[in-house]
Amino acid sequence: IDRARGGAHLNGMTPVKVRMLEDEYSKHRLVLQLDSLAAENALVMDALRDQMRQSLALEDEVKRLQREVSTHAEKEESTQSRLRLLISTIRDQERRILRTDED
């Protein structure tokens, strides 16, 4: 462009024609920059989609593990309850045996 300016008058180009060429060049550069940005944006969007899929998969895994923990906690609570009942039954039987021995 700079060389075109210097030689424009020699080649018969008017300053208006030189300015038009400069504008076309600027537009072309902007289009290339926009294309490059669009390509970068597409890559970023793909990466974000992948991260969202991973995040959703992790959320599902957390929910599954929470259900599993809850199930184990319920089983343990049930086992504890049965053990307390068994201990109470054994103590009652011990008391009856002791009363029987005292009589």
Side-chain angles (χ1 to χ4, degrees):
I1 297 290
D2 289 335
R3 285 195 336 235
R5 277 191 186 139
H9 297 296
L10 296 176
N11 293 329
M13 293 178 65
T14 64
V16 172
K17 180 69 174 171
V18 171
R19 184 67 193 148
M20 286 173 44
L21 288 174
E22 288 175 341
D23 288 347
E24 277 300 313
Y25 177 75
S26 294
K27 287 178 191 174
H28 182 68
R29 286 189 61 213
L30 287 174
V31 168
L32 291 176
Q33 287 174 343
L34 286 173
D35 286 346
S36 176
L37 289 173
E40 286 180 46
N41 188 42
L43 291 174
V44 169
M45 291 303 291
D46 287 344
L48 284 173
R49 279 188 212 95
D50 287 344
Q51 286 183 346
M52 285 299 293
R53 278 191 283 273
Q54 290 174 359
S55 178
L56 291 172
L58 288 173
E59 284 179 22
D60 289 345
E61 180 67 8
V62 166
K63 288 176 185 175
R64 186 190 68 74
L65 289 172
Q66 286 173 334
R67 285 191 302 272
E68 192 174 314
V69 166
S70 177
T71 300
H72 286 297
E74 289 170 3
K75 286 180 182 177
E76 181 159 339
E77 185 177 317
S78 175
T79 301
Q80 290 291 331
S81 177
R82 285 184 282 168
L83 283 173
R84 284 191 294 274
L85 180 61
L86 184 59
I87 290 170
S88 175
T89 303
I90 290 171
R91 286 182 180 155
D92 287 346
Q93 288 177 352
E94 285 176 342
R95 283 189 213 104
R96 276 189 241 134
I97 291 171
L98 288 174
R99 279 193 224 133
T100 304
D101 285 347
E102 288 175 357
D103 291 344

